[in-house]
Amino acid sequence: MDWTKLLSTQRFKPENGCIVPTVTASSEEGADALRTDFHIDYDRVVFSSGFRRLARKTQVHPFALHDHTHNRLTHSVEVASVGRSLGNRVGVMLNAGHFLPSGSHAADIGAIVQVACLAHDFGNPPFGHTGEDALREWFRDPQHAHYLQELSNTERNDIETYEGNAHSLRLVASLEMYQNDGGMRLTAAVIGALIKYPWTSSVPHRRNKFNIYQTELPFMRCIAEQLGLPQTGENQWMRHPLSYLMEAADDICYALLDLEDAVEMGLLQVADVEQILSRLTNKEYFWQSYSSQERCARLRGIAIGRAVDDIAHTFIKHHRDLLNGSFRGKDLLALASPDVSEALNAAKELARTRIFRHQSKLITEIATFPCLGSILGLLVPAVHAFIKTGQLSKRQELALSLLKEQKLDKKDGLYLGYMKVLDFVGGMTDNTAAKLAREVSGIGML
């Protein structure tokens, strides 16, 4: 791989059954030199409805009562900030090493990673990863197997495996802005940086982590060719090097900021956080006179700065491996300095044992399964009846009227019909999903 292709500003859209290049956004929108193609990508993401919905989606704590607790929107903004810092540092070092092509700037790397970070959680369903599990469990239930009987194996794998990463790509490539006409038409470089798992659900041993549904496979093939991503097998490619920076920014933020939320909610003490971050901060920075919230914020800031600097240097150290493909199967955090990798891993472990298994969180997660299951139980039989026979009960007719932006067409077929259901359910906020489940059950009538 080489940076001349990896930084491509080309955009794509469907036309006459094919995926074809479209004009650059700067030409399309008459932008001047002060707004690059990557800045336009940033604006498209920020002004999208998918981005706004993140404000009511779970990061760690569903329906948190504390105003300062992170949701998916605040998490994405913070990840983008860290990603931009990582990208800018890497960009300066790549430029110093004369790796960047003519016409590219060090700040382009930061801008690309920033946009990918902003969009990385677009596809998360209501209630976070538990929501993914609930959607998967419903379709994998033997009682519902008859709805999937006529699908191909690849289609069945997609429907049975709701994957937030794949739905993030689906939103930017198909659903947002130019719906079914190229989506947000982001640059190839940003799409490449967004994709952590550049393969489909049918690649062996990788079923639960993938980025490409069958619906976006033609689009991905064009992106991979444009960026020069080598194919490593059927429907799978090497990762774009900048996707590792997006991944690292996400790792840094959820490792450190989940702890800050837990202190805010009384689930952890400041001393717990200080012990974790002591590897990355000097004793002189332990301002005992500050409030617990301020101390956590200051410690977190120092720790993020250390992690950003360390991981940027780790990227440059492994630059050649990232380009030639020998970096596969690793992440930057695993190869960072022991102080950084051990501190972040310890933070994740503390979150797993003291935060994720807290009873207040467990109860909401348990309720996620009947909540999303009741919505699927209403919509999937209606889609099946519409596509197969066209004979619907009155209840099913009413149910399909809920699919406004995902309106069904007879020519959709079962696979696309079910994908539209997943688009609808996955796009809901926590509040909307809970309210709809309550209302369709009849409980919310009084």
Side-chain angles (χ1 to χ4, degrees):
M1 292 186 285
D2 68 85
W3 288 108
T4 301
K5 286 191 169 185
L6 290 170
L7 301 181
S8 171
T9 59
Q10 184 60 63
R11 303 165 190 274
F12 293 90
K13 67 176 182 178
E15 189 173 289
N16 299 324
C18 301
I19 305 295
V20 299
T22 185
V23 295
T24 62
S26 54
S27 300
E28 191 176 80
E29 301 182 5
D32 56 33
L34 297 178
R35 204 163 74 114
T36 70
D37 276 288
F38 306 128
H39 293 148
I40 291 169
D41 286 350
Y42 176 92
D43 293 342
R44 288 185 176 186
V45 170
V46 166
F47 285 96
S48 68
S49 59
F51 187 67
R52 290 194 298 276
R53 286 196 298 269
L54 295 176
R56 292 299 186 112
K57 289 197 175 189
T58 296
Q59 169 59 19
V60 174
H61 306 283
F63 306 121
L65 300 178
H66 295 258
D67 290 341
H68 295 166
T69 303
H70 288 82
N71 53 49
R72 285 285 168 184
L73 180 64
T74 52
H75 167 74
S76 296
V77 170
E78 290 170 342
V79 173
S81 180
V82 173
R84 183 189 61 222
S85 296
L86 271 171
N88 284 342
R89 294 197 183 199
V90 167
V92 168
M93 289 187 277
L94 288 176
N95 196 46
H98 305 290
F99 292 111
L100 295 183
S102 175
S104 294
H105 304 281
D108 290 340
I109 305 298
I112 292 167
V113 178
Q114 181 183 29
V115 179
C117 290
L118 279 178
H120 84 284
D121 270 348
F122 260 20
N124 273 53
F127 314 114
H129 295 302
T130 305
E132 289 180 312
D133 291 335
L135 295 172
R136 294 170 182 175
E137 183 175 287
W138 193 93
F139 277 107
R140 293 177 184 178
D141 188 328
Q143 295 182 62
H144 306 140
H146 62 285
Y147 294 120
L148 309 181
Q149 281 179 347
E150 297 184 35
L151 300 183
S152 67
N153 288 336
T154 55
E155 292 172 341
R156 188 179 301 111
N157 288 341
D158 280 0
I159 300 302
E160 287 184 342
T161 318
Y162 186 101
E163 167 56 46
N165 292 289
H167 247 82
S168 292
L169 178 62
R170 179 159 167 76
L171 257 75
V172 301
S174 302
L175 301 181
E176 283 279 348
M177 196 169 174
Y178 298 101
Q179 190 173 30
N180 300 318
D181 193 27
M184 301 178 77
R185 299 182 187 174
L186 303 180
T187 59
V190 164
I191 295 293
L194 175 65
I195 298 175
K196 280 174 65 175
Y197 310 107
W199 49 79
T200 66
S201 64
S202 297
V203 172
H205 313 302
R206 290 175 164 176
R207 184 177 173 188
N208 285 345
K209 287 291 182 182
F210 64 96
N211 254 109
I212 310 164
Y213 289 125
Q214 296 299 307
T215 46
E216 281 65 57
L217 185 54
F219 175 80
M220 180 61 200
R221 287 174 177 148
C222 290
I223 292 291
E225 182 179 359
Q226 180 68 29
L227 296 173
L229 304 181
Q231 193 161 354
T232 58
E234 185 178 4
N235 297 329
Q236 56 182 315
W237 293 266
M238 279 176 49
R239 288 175 65 174
H240 192 295
L242 297 185
S243 71
Y244 290 95
L245 294 181
M246 182 271 292
E247 178 182 42
D250 190 27
D251 282 344
I252 291 170
C253 286
Y254 81 71
L256 300 182
L257 293 165
D258 286 353
L259 301 186
E260 197 171 334
D261 279 352
V263 171
E264 176 86 12
M265 299 176 68
L267 303 181
L268 293 178
Q269 300 299 314
V270 176
D272 298 319
V273 179
E274 289 180 350
Q275 184 178 8
I276 292 291
L277 300 183
S278 61
R279 290 177 175 269
L280 305 180
T281 56
N282 297 322
K283 293 292 184 183
E284 64 186 272
Y285 288 118
F286 283 30
W287 301 274
Q288 299 299 328
S289 61
Y290 287 97
S291 69
S292 61
Q293 183 178 348
E294 289 172 320
R295 281 158 60 195
C296 278
R298 291 171 184 266
L299 288 169
R300 174 255 299 156
I302 296 166
I304 288 177
R306 280 283 311 276
V308 165
D309 184 66
D310 192 273
I311 289 176
H313 281 90
T314 302
F315 182 97
I316 295 299
K317 179 180 178 180
H318 296 278
H319 178 235
R320 180 179 297 180
D321 294 339
L322 287 161
L323 291 182
N324 67 25
S326 58
F327 200 79
R328 281 179 292 171
K330 304 174 185 175
D331 60 66
L332 293 174
L333 178 59
L335 297 176
S337 68
D339 281 354
V340 169
S341 61
E342 289 173 13
L344 293 181
N345 284 329
K348 293 178 183 178
E349 182 59 28
L350 182 63
R352 276 192 291 268
T353 56
R354 298 276 297 279
I355 302 173
F356 294 164
R357 297 298 91 190
H358 193 270
Q359 184 175 1
S360 62
K361 180 172 169 57
L362 288 174
I363 292 173
T364 305
E365 289 184 340
I366 292 169
T368 296
F369 290 83
C371 172
L372 297 187
S374 67
I375 299 173
L376 290 179
L378 173 69
L379 294 174
V380 172
V383 170
H384 187 271
F386 177 81
I387 297 295
K388 295 303 297 177
T389 67
Q391 298 178 354
L392 282 74
S393 67
K394 188 61 181 179
R395 183 173 186 264
Q396 289 173 335
E397 286 182 13
L398 294 171
L400 291 186
S401 66
L402 294 172
L403 302 177
K404 297 174 183 176
E405 293 184 9
Q406 296 83 12
K407 189 174 181 180
L408 285 185
D409 190 294
K410 271 282 191 180
K411 63 184 179 183
D412 285 342
L414 287 176
Y415 170 67
L416 189 53
Y418 295 153
M419 286 299 297
K420 288 183 175 182
V421 170
L422 291 176
D423 295 338
F424 174 73
V425 179
M428 289 181 176
T429 63
D430 297 2
N431 305 67
T432 301
K435 182 173 182 287
L436 180 60
R438 198 164 51 243
E439 289 176 341
V440 299
S441 71
I443 296 174
M445 292 183 70
L446 298 177

